[in-house]
Amino acid sequence: MIDHLHRAKEKKMAYVLHYDFGYTKSSIATLMKISPQQMGQWIKEVHYEVQIHRLNQELDSIKQELIGMGYQPQKALDHNDFNF
């Protein structure tokens, strides 16, 4: 578990080094002792996570806006709701 958490943090560090600090994928791969192909995969994975997170934030905002307009989540149907 610790190795998995450490690896997840390394992937995020690689993403920040590439996108925010401007390091090349190959230089980061050398630093982290992995192949440039693997580094590209890491950066792509974190990029997808960032996009998903942003979409979730946007959807939460839209949900709150809809609630403010008077819309409410519908009650889930249950088999007991029907009289047979």
Side-chain angles (χ1 to χ4, degrees), residues 11-75:
K11 289 179 181 183
K12 290 172 183 155
M13 292 171 91
Y15 177 86
V16 170
L17 284 169
H18 179 67
Y19 279 107
D20 295 339
F21 293 3
Y23 286 84
T24 65
K25 292 175 188 175
S26 61
S27 65
I28 301 166
T30 300
L31 173 72
M32 295 193 173
K33 299 179 180 166
I34 63 170
S35 72
Q37 294 82 8
Q38 185 66 36
M39 179 53 56
Q41 186 62 37
W42 281 15
I43 290 172
K44 187 184 297 185
E45 287 173 14
V46 175
H47 184 70
Y48 290 147
E49 288 180 39
V50 168
Q51 289 178 322
I52 289 167
H53 182 68
R54 287 184 183 151
L55 180 59
N56 285 337
Q57 288 177 329
E58 184 177 348
L59 291 175
D60 285 343
S61 175
I62 289 170
K63 179 180 177 181
Q64 293 307 312
E65 185 177 343
L66 287 167
I67 289 171
M69 295 168 67
Y71 292 95
Q72 293 295 318
Q74 298 297 304
K75 177 182 177 256

Side-chain angles (χ1 to χ4, degrees), residues 4-16:
H4 177 70
L5 293 175
H6 183 67
R7 182 56 49 114
K9 185 172 183 177
E10 284 180 330
K11 289 179 181 183
K12 290 172 183 155
M13 292 171 91
Y15 177 86
V16 170

